[in-house]
Amino acid sequence: AQSVTQLDSQVPVFEEAPVELRCNYSSSVSVYLFWYVQYPNQGLQLLLKYLSGSTLVKGINGFEAEFNKSQTSFHLRKPSVHISDTAEYFCAVDTGRRALTFGSGTRLQVQP
Amino acid sequence: EAGVAQSPRYKIIEKRQSVAFWCNPISGHATLYWYQQILGQGPKLLIQFQNNGVVDDSQLPKDRFSAERLKGVDSTLKIQPAKLEDSAVYLCASSFSWTNTGELFFGEGSRLTVL
């Protein structure tokens, strides 16, 4: 069975600072990897996904993530955050079953 | 394009009562999912439909939860009888097809409080 670990439950950061949200996964088979964002009182929205090819994936709102197979990681980064990036971020994996297994989430709190 | 619609947005019930949630996926999306998101946790898959057939319901507590997707379009998730630990947000999601790896489109969720 696959699992996803998000190491930080909360990440406070000042506006315009860089941020990294960590995600590690375990799976005995190849995986597809995703980051979703959930703004308050809204549904989850896809930020970016890794299916194959280049290990550096760019998504919406200036976010990017890098797939590292040897470290089984898929960390999310943004070089300069805005107040509007305050949200809950979820890492997820799909082992080909076309259903996602989510991590427990990381709350990003951007402070002015 | 209309998104995934869910209702009701909020529901408060007493334990042992029943509740039903409705989901209308994006038009043309063959695959529909119900997830349970308990406060402080990530969403957990309850059931996955392809058209009107069940693909995976291994994590659905079948003694109290049931779901159907008649005619392969909208879906209903029912809980009967509810327990305190069922308090959660129930998320519905859809995707274009079983063979499409990628984006699931989520509704805003139905928040259930069991007292």
Side-chain angles (χ1 to χ4, degrees):
Chain A
Q2 67 277 5
S3 67
V4 179
T5 301
Q6 292 185 244
L7 299 167
D8 306 297
S9 59
Q10 293 189 66
V11 174
V13 63
F14 288 106
E15 195 173 17
E16 298 183 6
V19 71
E20 178 180 82
L21 307 184
R22 296 180 291 170
C23 172
N24 288 86
Y25 68 91
S26 66
S27 174
S28 57
V29 299
S30 297
V31 297
Y32 307 108
L33 295 157
F34 304 82
W35 276 98
Y36 278 79
V37 60
Q38 187 174 36
Y39 298 103
N41 298 315
Q42 295 186 27
L44 285 91
Q45 176 184 354
L46 182 68
L47 265 182
L48 49 78
K49 61 185 177 184
Y50 171 79
L51 304 182
S52 65
S54 173
T55 58
L56 183 62
V57 179
K58 294 189 184 298
I60 62 171
N61 300 337
F63 284 92
E64 63 180 32
E66 186 159 18
F67 170 54
N68 188 319
K69 188 175 182 179
S70 62
Q71 297 187 5
T72 60
S73 69
F74 190 55
H75 299 334
L76 181 70
R77 302 185 184 99
K78 186 169 183 178
S80 176
V81 295
H82 301 287
I83 294 287
S84 59
D85 293 323
T86 295
E88 187 96 22
Y89 291 81
F90 292 94
C91 182
V93 301
D94 175 3
T95 58
R97 294 170 52 244
R98 303 301 185 262
L100 299 177
T101 298
F102 285 88
S104 56
T106 297
R107 182 169 299 278
L108 176 63
Q109 298 168 308
V110 182
Q111 303 164 359
Chain B
E1 177 181 82
V4 176
Q6 290 189 247
S7 68
R9 288 294 312 277
Y10 304 93
K11 189 75 176 178
I12 300 173
I13 62 174
E14 302 273 339
K15 60 183 179 183
R16 291 187 289 275
Q17 287 185 323
S18 63
V19 63
F21 301 111
W22 173 82
C23 172
N24 190 28
I26 293 173
S27 178
H29 281 196
T31 310
L32 184 146
Y33 311 79
W34 282 102
Y35 282 83
Q36 180 193 55
Q37 186 177 16
I38 293 173
L39 187 65
Q41 300 181 18
K44 183 186 82 171
L45 180 68
L46 292 176
I47 189 167
Q48 179 182 0
F49 291 95
Q50 175 68 11
N51 296 311
N52 60 350
V54 175
V55 175
D56 183 359
D57 64 356
S58 58
Q59 299 189 86
L60 187 73
K62 298 180 186 62
D63 57 333
R64 298 182 300 105
F65 286 64
S66 64
E68 61 182 11
R69 191 184 183 196
L70 301 176
K71 301 180 182 178
V73 181
D74 53 354
S75 175
T76 302
L77 175 71
K78 296 179 181 176
I79 308 174
Q80 183 180 10
K83 292 185 175 181
L84 296 177
E85 58 261 35
D86 298 331
S87 293
V89 177
Y90 291 87
L91 297 168
C92 180
S94 68
S95 67
F96 182 67
S97 75
W98 166 256
T99 59
N100 182 49
T101 304
E103 187 168 4
L104 270 60
F105 293 84
F106 285 83
E108 294 181 329
S110 295
R111 183 179 297 276
L112 173 66
T113 301
V114 182
L115 303 177

